[in-house]
Amino acid sequence: MMSSDERAAKLLELEAELLARDRDEEALIELSEEQGAAFRRLDADPRAVLGIVIARVKKPERIRAA
């Protein structure tokens, strides 16, 4: 059985893999559009369709008053 941290890490890994496959699919769709025929899934991930990459930034640490 996975701990909650292991589960969260695995979910992030799987979500990244799914997005990578969605991006692959979108590249093939764009290629088929150039050839005159394309069909996009209605539930396609907008990040893949638009080519968006969301940067994750760590929150800055708060400076505590002395």
Side-chain angles (χ1 to χ4, degrees), residues 1-2 4-5 7 10 13 23-24 26-27 31 34 38 48-49 53-57:
M1 185 162 197
M2 287 186 192
S4 61
D5 288 343
R7 185 177 189 277
K10 187 64 174 178
E13 178 185 329
R23 291 183 191 282
D24 292 343
E26 183 59 27
L31 181 61
E34 291 173 7
V49 174
V53 176
I54 299 173
R56 299 195 186 273
V57 179

Side-chain angles (χ1 to χ4, degrees), residues 2 4 9-11 17 19 25 28-29 34 36-37 41-43 50-53 55 59 61-63 65:
M2 287 186 192
S4 61
K10 187 64 174 178
L11 283 173
E17 182 65 26
L19 180 56
E25 176 186 36
L28 292 171
I29 289 169
E34 291 173 7
R41 291 183 293 124
L42 295 177
D43 64 341
L50 299 173
I52 295 172
V53 176
K59 289 184 181 178
E61 292 185 28
R62 295 184 104 183
I63 300 173

